[in-house]
Amino acid sequence: MSAGENDGSADRINGIKSTLRVVPDFPKPGILFLDITTLLLDPKAFKDTIDLFVERYKQKDISVVAGIEARGFMFGPAIALAIGAKFVPLRKPKKLPGEVISEKYVLEYGTDCLEMHVGAVEPGERALVIDDLVATGGTLCAAMNLLERAGAVVVECACVIEVPDLKGRERLRLHGKPLYVLIESRFEPTS
Amino acid sequence: MSAGENGDSAGRINGIKSALRVIPNFPKPGIMFQDITTLLLDPKAFKDTIDLFVERYKHETISVIAGIEARGFIFGPPIALAIGAKFVPLRKPKKLPGEVISEKYILEYGSDCLEMHVGAVESGDRALIVDDLIATGGTLCAAMNLLERAGAEVVECACVIEVPELKGRERLRSHGKPLYVLVESQFVPSS
């Protein structure tokens, strides 16, 4: 599901969309990078972004918001605070101190790894996974695996932006989980 | 200045302090790592942390909150949202897309570098810098330099935890800027 379909949020969504910018050829030639930092420079648009997620999740008994390093850290905590949930950072290897569980995942070339603290999440907890953007869905699937290995139920994955051509939504559907986004990307670099 | 001097914050400060944990020998032998992730698992303590900063800054006409990657991204955005300021992420090299300015700084062995987007901050912006912890103050000084090079005025640096023996407060004082923290570091590892 995407926001704006039937919840009267169209103006807020348009405002958010207009603050995003596309940076061509980053991090490498041929990639059109969707940059959320310009959204963070617009207090109203940033607040609207958080509010849209909070409105969706505040009555869903979510006890954990898991945010993916590093841009998931910019959105997840504010949502967690508003709905009274724990915030759990999911991090690149060797960043979290103490005992962790690790989940490896496949990239276009090579692999990467996501870690979560042992004990951060308890069996039966209801979790939301947050990141700024979903592309192939590989990182979100690794995140869901971590939470499920700890016994939590992943209720949904939520991102500001979806890149539909990279089929992340389908990948999450195979994992049995829904995806909620505010905006779908269209590739037109802004000046 | 440290929080807790004014009596009605003392209860909240104690709650925050008790939510932190110390991990010995991380990231290397001899270091007592002050871990804020357990604070994030306590919704009341996390909310109190943000509230204490918001209460201090909401009438200070702060237009920019700059957060230092990555744990500054957890505390900075909720403060920015509450006071209506922009949030500006200060990042390790090559993470920010588009045009950046860079500031190098010295580590115990070698050097590191912090980057900020060109145009994120304007002349006349009043800025607060946020990170989870201050040790030597080297990273905060690099952050202040970035903001000042862009024409902003740094009002204060704010951290959850200070490690007093590492003299960060004195280093900031040499830069002419005050430091505000909620708690000082602890030495007893939690079980």
Side-chain angles (χ1 to χ4, degrees), chain A residues 21 23 26-27 33-37 69-71 74 91-92 95 132, chain B residues 69-70 73 89-100 102 112-117:
Chain A
R21 70 170 179 172
V23 181
F26 182 89
F33 188 90
L34 284 141
D35 183 18
I36 51 87
T37 63
E69 168 163 21
R71 288 183 291 266
M74 299 177 196
R91 298 209 67 175
K92 296 292 164 80
K95 302 290 186 71
D132 66 321
Chain B
E69 170 161 19
F73 294 177
L90 303 182
R91 299 210 66 175
K92 296 290 163 77
K94 300 189 170 55
K95 302 290 187 74
L96 290 171
E99 207 185 348
V100 298
S102 298
D112 208 337
C113 193
L114 211 56
E115 295 186 341
M116 181 173 80
H117 266 138

Side-chain angles (χ1 to χ4, degrees), chain B residues 127-175:
Chain B
L128 177 69
I129 302 176
V130 177
D131 207 354
D132 64 321
L133 179 145
I134 173 174
T136 64
T139 317
L140 285 170
C141 284
M144 290 194 285
N145 287 337
L146 281 171
L147 289 158
E148 288 170 350
R149 285 165 58 191
E153 182 199 343
V154 175
V155 174
E156 195 158 77
C157 292
C159 300
V160 180
I161 306 165
E162 173 183 10
V163 184
E165 308 79 62
L166 297 175
K167 305 197 182 310
R169 188 178 290 273
E170 284 74 8
R171 187 154 176 187
L172 263 61
R173 191 176 293 136
S174 316
H175 194 111

Side-chain angles (χ1 to χ4, degrees), chain B residues 14-169:
Chain B
N14 285 336
I16 290 163
K17 190 164 188 164
S18 70
L20 300 169
R21 73 172 176 171
V22 179
I23 304 284
N25 302 314
F26 183 89
K28 49 187 199 188
I31 298 193
M32 302 292 276
F33 188 90
Q34 310 287 310
D35 183 18
I36 51 91
T37 62
T38 43
L39 167 65
L40 310 177
L41 297 179
D42 181 334
K44 180 186 187 308
F46 187 19
K47 180 181 187 303
D48 286 344
T49 303
I50 300 302
D51 286 350
L52 284 160
F53 289 123
V54 170
E55 286 161 23
R56 180 173 181 81
Y57 297 112
K58 64 186 175 185
H59 298 304
E60 298 289 325
T61 341
I62 305 283
S63 55
V64 175
I65 306 279
I68 298 179
E69 170 161 19
R71 290 181 289 263
F73 294 177
I74 296 174
F75 297 97
I79 299 168
L81 287 159
I83 69 176
K86 302 189 282 197
F87 178 72
V88 174
L90 303 182
R91 299 210 66 175
K92 296 290 163 77
K94 300 189 170 55
K95 302 290 187 74
L96 290 171
E99 207 185 348
V100 298
I101 56 174
S102 298
E103 180 77 17
K104 217 168 170 182
Y105 61 105
I106 305 294
L107 298 171
E108 191 180 8
Y109 296 102
S111 63
D112 208 337
C113 193
L114 211 56
E115 295 186 341
M116 181 173 80
H117 266 138
V118 168
V121 159
E122 293 166 316
S123 221
D125 267 326
R126 282 169 54 79
L128 177 69
I129 302 176
V130 177
D131 207 354
D132 64 321
L133 179 145
I134 173 174
T136 64
T139 317
L140 285 170
C141 284
M144 290 194 285
N145 287 337
L146 281 171
L147 289 158
E148 288 170 350
R149 285 165 58 191
E153 182 199 343
V154 175
V155 174
E156 195 158 77
C157 292
C159 300
V160 180
I161 306 165
E162 173 183 10
V163 184
E165 308 79 62
L166 297 175
K167 305 197 182 310
R169 188 178 290 273

